[in-house]
Amino acid sequence: MVKICCIGAGYVGGPTMAVIALKCPSIEVAVVDISAPRINAWNSDQLPIYEPGLEEVVKECRGRNLFFSTAVEKHVCEADIVFVSVNTPTKTRGLGAGKAADLTYWESAARMIADVSKSDKIVVEKSTVPVKTAEAIEKILTHNSKGINFQILSNPEFLAEGTAIQDLFKPDRVLIGGRETPGGQKAIQVLKDVYAQWVPEDCIITTNLWSAELSKLAANAFLAQRISSVNAMSALCEATGADVTQVSYAVGKDTRIGPKFLNASVGFGGSCFQKDILNLVYICECNGLPEVAEYWKQVIKINDYQKNRFVNRLVSSMFNTVANKKIAVLGFAFKKDTGDTRETPAIDVCKGLLGDKARVCIYDPQVTEDQIQRDLNMNKFDWDHPLHLQPMSPTTVKQVSVVWDAYEATKDAHAACILTEWDEFKTLDYQRIYDNMQKPAFIFDGRNIVNVDKMREIGFIVYSIGKPLDAWLKDMPAVA
């Protein structure tokens, strides 16, 4: 029986291994992590992450051929294939601070694999890592190998949160990079055979190690660039009276461009886009390509500009001050159908409002008060370290309250901001919300999900990103 072990029970490791266990009943899969609370959650009825369809997959396989354990060394020692899915946060100090990936967790995982292994192993990079990480890992393993043969593969994940299980069931592509040696090619075939149990052969792409590593960074950079491009257009639409939804639709009809990732919004978030672009920027700089680095930096600059623009528009519309005004924030996760708040635009928007002394009341169907308070207290990039290395008990931000109902959040509020496109926000009783708000009542739609005309009929003053502005908003222009 082939044995697989995955180091790291997070957003990538947990779902990926659960689906491998489901689709390959003859393979024993162990997911290991040093965090006991996280492993306990995977073994309970309350999984540590929310992802549609994940619970059903885990419950079907857990205890049969899927195991979650803190016995890291035991399972690594027994495994034929070791996936490494540990955090690769952005460095906060030292060489490359603010851009380069911190490979501390990766390096310690590699040293541990070398220490405990008694048989040949295939080691698979599953985290997003900078180009040439495999080479560094290879050096650690070979210099500590005690005669054991290690083959390194890069198998980047291309999951989208909210649809991760479907992405795993029917991937666009599975990418496997390895050495162009007989041993490397053999290792690629072993991993290919695992995926081939449910993924069509023509969807499994094999490349050299560096191409696989770079493909992941490039894919995320291209996706983020599309969002920044349409967001840049949204500012121009507001200035000219165009409607960004109509522009996006017309542009997306061009088959060379396509309609995906062309929705204007308050900005992109999530654990990968910003981190991977910063990583790409750093690699370009290190390889003497400052013009290429500058090009990718601009994608992040536009994203920051979009969040600032949203806050500025909100404050200027409300007589240039939100001091002591109640602002309802609907949605805190970085997108719908996930509880993930990493790099969510809501953090920057809330911090901007709090900086102007607003009273912020937040509702999100999947994010806990503890998580929200933690996010609003954390320094940039702290979130990407394991939980036990993050600030322990966050000091609560007194100006922030968290409620479990959209109507409670908006009661007596001066304005409501929609920052996550949860489906339930499309069907709220906005007449009821309007009746219970302070007047004039404002809606700032950061996701373009409400019917602007209907909202205006009810009586709201509406700002929707990239849409023609209310006369009220034109009279009170945002100061950049």
Side-chain angles (χ1 to χ4, degrees):
M1 189 185 215
V2 175
K3 288 191 174 183
I4 289 178
C5 173
C6 176
I7 303 172
Y11 273 91
V12 175
T16 306
M17 294 303 120
V19 169
I20 288 178
L22 181 74
K23 299 291 189 181
C24 309
S26 63
I27 294 177
E28 183 181 297
V29 182
V31 183
V32 296
D33 202 294
I34 55 173
S35 166
R38 174 168 278 189
I39 290 297
N40 291 341
W42 278 110
N43 282 319
S44 74
D45 287 339
Q46 192 66 48
L47 300 186
I49 60 176
Y50 171 72
E51 191 63 51
L54 175 63
E55 197 176 332
E56 292 77 6
V57 175
V58 170
K59 283 189 171 162
E60 185 164 338
C61 305
R62 193 170 57 195
R64 184 187 71 192
N65 67 327
L66 175 64
F67 304 93
F68 296 94
S69 169
T70 52
V72 179
E73 296 185 358
K74 170 185 180 289
H75 288 287
V76 168
C77 177
E78 292 173 358
D80 305 295
I81 305 173
V82 180
F83 284 84
V84 184
S85 188
V86 296
N87 300 53
T88 49
T90 304
K91 284 183 79 170
T92 50
R93 53 177 67 88
L95 187 65
K99 285 184 288 220
D102 181 347
L103 296 179
T104 309
Y105 307 120
W106 243 105
E107 186 177 331
S108 60
R111 289 181 185 280
M112 184 269 295
I113 293 168
D115 282 348
V116 306
S117 294
K118 296 187 175 69
S119 57
D120 294 355
K121 299 209 181 317
I122 295 170
V123 178
V124 184
E125 286 179 345
K126 200 66 187 161
S127 335
T128 303
V129 289
V131 181
K132 301 280 179 160
T133 300
E135 199 168 73
I137 303 309
E138 207 166 45
K139 284 178 177 148
I140 291 169
L141 290 170
T142 48
H143 284 281
N144 293 280
S145 67
K146 306 172 299 227
I148 292 164
N149 177 24
F150 292 104
Q151 287 295 336
I152 316 296
L153 299 179
S154 172
N155 175 217
E157 54 81 22
F158 297 102
L159 305 179
E161 286 178 43
T163 58
I165 298 300
Q166 283 313 307
D167 295 343
L168 286 161
F169 282 175
K170 289 186 177 170
D172 291 337
R173 77 288 200 199
V174 170
L175 182 57
I176 304 171
R179 282 281 187 204
E180 289 155 318
T181 59
Q185 294 304 300
K186 192 176 164 199
I188 287 174
Q189 192 57 50
V190 170
L191 188 55
K192 199 174 170 183
D193 290 344
V194 172
Y195 285 111
Q197 295 193 41
W198 80 95
V199 179
E201 187 89 11
D202 59 354
C203 290
I204 304 175
I205 305 168
T206 58
T207 65
N208 70 29
L209 273 173
W210 322 138
S211 298
E213 289 182 333
L214 191 52
S215 296
K216 169 65 177 176
L217 295 183
N220 277 344
F222 277 47
L223 291 172
Q225 178 203 44
R226 282 175 72 97
I227 297 171
S228 280
S229 296
V230 77
N231 282 343
M233 285 297 162
S234 74
L236 185 58
C237 286
E238 288 168 31
T240 57
D243 183 330
V244 75
T245 313
Q246 295 173 357
V247 173
S248 294
Y249 182 73
V251 169
K253 278 292 183 189
D254 185 325
T255 52
R256 295 165 302 175
I257 298 171
K260 291 182 177 174
F261 273 69
L262 287 183
N263 294 326
S265 70
V266 67
F268 60 71
S271 62
C272 286
F273 283 177
Q274 178 162 304
K275 186 173 78 168
D276 288 358
I277 294 170
L278 290 170
N279 209 327
L280 199 55
V281 165
Y282 182 67
I283 293 165
C284 292
E285 289 172 347
C286 289
N287 284 285
L289 301 168
E291 293 82 2
V292 182
E294 207 47 53
Y295 175 79
W296 289 111
K297 266 186 203 167
Q298 201 58 39
V299 173
I300 290 175
K301 279 186 186 163
I302 287 288
N303 197 48
D304 290 338
Y305 162 75
Q306 188 77 341
K307 292 182 281 192
N308 291 336
R309 202 168 74 77
F310 186 84
V311 174
N312 290 343
R313 176 71 74 188
L314 190 154
V315 175
S316 65
S317 306
M318 298 176 71
F319 314 105
N320 251 341
T321 178
V322 288
N324 233 358
K325 290 176 181 170
K326 179 180 176 183
I327 311 292
V329 169
L330 301 181
F332 197 83
F334 84 92
K335 68 175 191 180
K336 72 173 186 175
D337 293 336
T338 176
D340 196 350
T341 60
R342 293 178 290 180
E343 290 294 344
T344 175
I347 294 173
D348 288 330
V349 171
C350 288
K351 282 184 173 176
L353 295 171
L354 292 166
D356 209 300
K357 303 279 190 288
R359 290 181 297 117
V360 177
C361 187
I362 302 170
Y363 163 65
D364 186 287
Q366 283 297 333
V367 184
T368 63
E369 178 164 9
D370 181 57
Q371 185 62 50
I372 288 170
Q373 290 287 3
R374 190 187 290 273
D375 287 329
L376 293 177
N377 270 288
M378 250 187 264
N379 294 326
K380 204 159 182 57
F381 305 127
D382 273 358
W383 55 265
D384 208 11
H385 291 272
L387 211 55
H388 64 282
L389 294 179
Q390 290 175 13
M392 270 314 284
S393 52
T395 50
T396 55
V397 182
K398 291 192 175 58
Q399 295 291 94
V400 173
S401 55
V402 179
V403 294
W404 283 100
D405 173 52
Y407 300 106
E408 182 63 29
T410 50
K411 189 170 188 288
D412 292 325
H414 293 76
C417 307
I418 301 171
L419 299 184
T420 312
E421 72 284 19
W422 286 103
D423 290 339
E424 70 176 81
F425 297 157
K426 297 175 187 173
T427 56
L428 291 171
D429 181 346
Y430 282 98
Q431 182 67 58
R432 175 182 164 191
I433 287 173
Y434 177 79
D435 292 344
N436 288 321
M437 281 174 70
Q438 302 279 350
K439 309 296 182 297
F442 296 84
I443 283 189
F444 297 93
D445 184 359
R447 295 289 180 170
N448 281 346
I449 62 169
V450 300
N451 181 321
V452 175
D453 293 336
K454 271 191 185 157
M455 294 302 133
R456 287 177 183 149
E457 274 172 33
I458 289 171
F460 285 108
I461 293 158
V462 185
Y463 167 68
S464 201
I465 282 184
K467 299 285 182 83
L469 297 174
D470 270 16
W472 177 292
L473 299 168
K474 284 180 186 158
D475 293 343
M476 299 195 181
V479 185

